[in-house]
DNA sequence: TACATGATTTGCT
DNA sequence: GCAAATCATGTAA
């Protein structure tokens, strides 16, 4: 990957996505999150990245969803207010980042599977030195949580709080033609039709790089006519 | 309390 | 292309 691009416009243009954005089914939120900016503040540093890949997990009917059996200590957050982070541990070593959707009581979340770095590359490489610099070093749900320093301690974090160390901002416009829609990854245990539901949205890295170079700012998010201004930006 | 397994990554063949 | 790594979680007992 090339050096940190200064392609995106100044941070002061970014808007925090409001809670209403998340208060709908995950399969509606997931494609809308493509192109949005994930913003992390850790150790006094700001890390930013564009969301490239998402998956939707929707409701107790969805047999691939952690919440299919009702609330448990792990997935409790999915039943709570939308706009919070659901971060869980799996395979004995990996943390996964999700964004909680839907009204309280209806479990739903969007798994963030890949991001493209904008700012704070140095810090990300420090947090995740193994493959830093290679093309896909943030292309994978466990890779990005490591690079952003996300773990249990950020589970339940409010992504809509301007003071939060993890939040989501408006980003770039991504034409729907370049978004691939496929079945979800790693859920072969799930019965049909859930295993084959096309609830995964992907933009390939090279195409995302091109888009970021063009920096077409996405002015209007579908649900959020009113967005909250960001504060305290460097 | 015990046990099977996973929204994965990596390295080796 | 395949299998090991590694442990919290959930389900069963």
């Amino acid at each position: 990957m090339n050096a940190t691009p200064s392609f995106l416009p100044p941070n002061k243009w970014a808007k925090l996505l409001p809670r209403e954005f998340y208060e709908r089914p995950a399969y509606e939120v997931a494609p809308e999150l493509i192109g949005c900016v994930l913003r992390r503040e850790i150790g006094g540093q700001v890390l930013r990245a564009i969301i490239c890949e998402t998956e939707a997990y929707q409701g107790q009917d969805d047999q691939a969803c952690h919440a299919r059996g009702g609330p448990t200590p792990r997935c409790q957050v999915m039943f709570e207010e939308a706009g919070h982070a659901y971060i869980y541990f799996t395979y004995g070593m990996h943390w996964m980042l999700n964004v909680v959707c839907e009204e309280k009581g209806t479990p739903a979340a969007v798994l963030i599977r890949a991001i493209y770095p904008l700012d704070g590359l140095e810090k990300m490489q420090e947090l995740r030195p193994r493959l830093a610099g290679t093309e896909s070093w943030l292309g994978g749900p466990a890779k990005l949580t490591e690079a952003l320093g996300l773990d249990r301690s950020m589970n339940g974090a409010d992504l809509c709080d301007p003071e939060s160390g993890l939040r989501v901002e408006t980003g770039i416009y991504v034409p729907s033609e370049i978004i691939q829609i496929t079945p979800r990854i790693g859920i072969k245990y799930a019965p049909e039709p859930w295993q084959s539901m096309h609830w995964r949205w992907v933009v390939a890295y090279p195409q995302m790089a091109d888009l970021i170079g063009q920096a077409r700012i996405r002015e209007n998010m579908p649900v959020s006519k009113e967005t909250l201004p960001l504060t305290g930006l460097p």
Side-chain angles (χ1 to χ4, degrees):
Chain A
M1 182 162 307
N2 297 324
T4 309
S6 54
F7 27 49
L8 271 201
N11 285 340
K12 63 182 179 183
W13 292 6
K15 302 288 177 60
L16 187 60
L17 296 189
R19 199 171 308 286
E20 304 87 78
F21 174 79
Y22 305 102
E23 292 175 332
R24 52 186 171 148
Y27 51 76
E28 291 184 12
V29 174
E32 301 291 352
L33 279 175
I34 300 289
C36 291
V37 172
L38 193 58
R39 180 197 177 87
R40 168 74 164 137
E41 289 184 31
I42 180 171
Q45 297 202 52
V46 174
L47 315 178
R48 292 196 312 151
I50 297 267
I51 296 173
C52 302
E53 180 177 342
T54 56
E55 274 180 7
Y57 290 85
Q58 175 65 38
Q60 293 195 48
D61 290 342
D62 180 0
Q63 292 303 299
C65 180
H66 283 169
R68 58 188 177 276
T72 65
R74 178 174 66 161
C75 69
Q76 177 63 40
V77 167
M78 289 183 79
F79 289 80
E80 304 295 336
E81 185 181 50
H84 291 254
Y86 168 40
I87 300 178
Y88 69 90
F89 189 72
T90 192
Y91 288 101
M93 61 190 92
H94 299 310
W95 293 97
M96 302 284 132
L97 170 64
N98 299 252
V99 175
V100 174
C101 300
E102 281 279 19
E103 304 296 330
K104 200 169 180 177
T106 301
V110 173
L111 172 67
I112 310 297
R113 294 188 55 91
I115 58 177
Y116 193 101
L118 299 178
D119 300 329
L121 223 40
E122 201 171 287
K123 180 65 173 176
M124 292 185 204
Q125 296 191 14
E126 175 190 323
L127 289 165
R128 190 178 192 289
R130 271 178 286 181
L131 294 178
T134 63
E135 183 174 296
S136 67
W137 68 296
L138 293 178
K143 296 177 180 177
L144 69 89
T145 54
E146 197 176 339
L148 296 180
L150 297 173
D151 58 23
R152 164 192 311 275
S153 68
M154 290 298 286
N155 188 37
D158 187 355
L159 305 175
C160 303
D161 179 355
E163 303 296 313
S164 177
L166 180 65
R167 43 196 206 253
V168 184
E169 304 169 346
T170 53
I172 59 173
Y173 171 74
V174 179
S176 57
E177 308 90 77
I178 71 163
I179 302 179
Q180 311 257 90
I181 304 178
T182 78
R184 296 170 290 181
I185 300 297
I187 55 163
K188 56 178 183 291
Y189 59 88
E192 296 292 0
W194 309 107
Q195 186 172 149
S196 299
M197 294 296 284
H198 283 50
W199 279 357
R200 174 173 176 247
W201 291 264
V202 190
V203 175
Y205 260 43
Q207 293 192 292
M208 185 55 85
D210 287 347
L211 274 181
I212 294 171
Q214 296 168 26
R216 278 186 66 186
I217 302 313
R218 184 174 185 177
E219 296 294 348
N220 297 313
M221 293 302 289
V223 167
S224 54
K225 288 173 183 160
E226 309 283 335
T227 53
L228 306 173
L230 274 180
T231 58
L233 294 171

